[in-house]
Amino acid sequence: MHDLLGGELWQLTVNGLVRGAFYAALGAGLALVIGVTARFHFAYALTYTVAPYAAFWAMDGLGAPFWPSALAGLAAAVAVSMLLEAGVYEPVARRAADRAMLAVLVTSIGVSTAGIALLQLRFGTGSLPFYGPNAVRHQLGSARISGFDLGQTATCLVLVAGLAAFLAFTPTGRSIKAVRSNPGLAAVLGIGVRRVNLVCFAVAGLISGACALWYGLLYTVQPSMGDATVIYGFVVAFLAGTRSSPLRALPVGLGLGLLEQWASNWLPLQWTQTAVFIVLTAYLAFLAVKGRPLRPRPARPAPLRSA
């Protein structure tokens, strides 16, 4: 009992903070795409998976060192993300007109499924070893944490803070916020909406690729590695808000990471994700009730004035 309340709980807390920062970064990138472009980018899982596979190919097939291979993986994720917007989403949305949101949603699911299948044909369906720098273990009180965990957490925090600063202090960031607020008015003012959309997808590809490379170092590279993880990105994006500052993704992501880890103390592993989705469902139900228009109260008759 003492171990549960002491060392084990502290270890779960550290694990939850590490995972939470990871979820926050993924959610911030996805919220940017959804909030600005109105694309339900389910192929985020594909750009996430492409990065470590491209890095693995550069190391295994070309014999490149790890860090140049990691940069190649990031470049592949950014390129695939931008190609999806320019070559798939934008043409589909333009042709679908008022049904653009649904058309892009269905298309993104299909593209993601096809892309993952191509990776399986090329690299197989099993896990691939992804070797990089040597992992060093650190002691934080009674909890142990690897250097990869620390590197992933620092990278995710920098990505979220950097995205917030980019939106707040750069001309491109201000253009992105203008398009997010009112794309029609932004276009009238001379802001290139298509260019802004491409920038958003490039940023999201960079974030997903960086997160996936750390995940590959911590675990292994496999075709389905993006499925469950990116779902958490959607949860964070919706809970934090797709039109708010990326910094709001941090407390949401950290909260989800802690909830997932703490729940594993009392729930079987397969039910910990269920706890997260219960939170999302409760939040969406709260929004539905909160947004429901109230019935107008009948007007009270004016008091009669004495003559």
Side-chain angles (χ1 to χ4, degrees), residues 152-227:
Q152 172 187 275
T153 303
T155 300
C156 292
L157 294 177
V158 168
L159 285 171
V160 174
L163 177 57
F166 172 71
L167 294 176
F169 302 116
T170 67
T172 303
R174 289 190 284 271
S175 297
I176 290 173
K177 291 196 292 185
V179 173
R180 184 173 61 187
S181 298
N182 192 327
L185 179 59
V188 170
L189 294 175
I191 297 174
V193 176
R194 295 180 65 183
R195 181 184 65 85
V196 165
N197 289 351
L198 283 175
V199 171
C200 292
F201 272 87
V203 171
L206 176 67
I207 292 175
S208 65
C211 291
L213 288 170
W214 281 115
Y215 185 93
L217 284 173
L218 283 163
Y219 305 103
T220 57
V221 178
Q222 53 187 347
S224 61
M225 61 184 293
D227 296 343

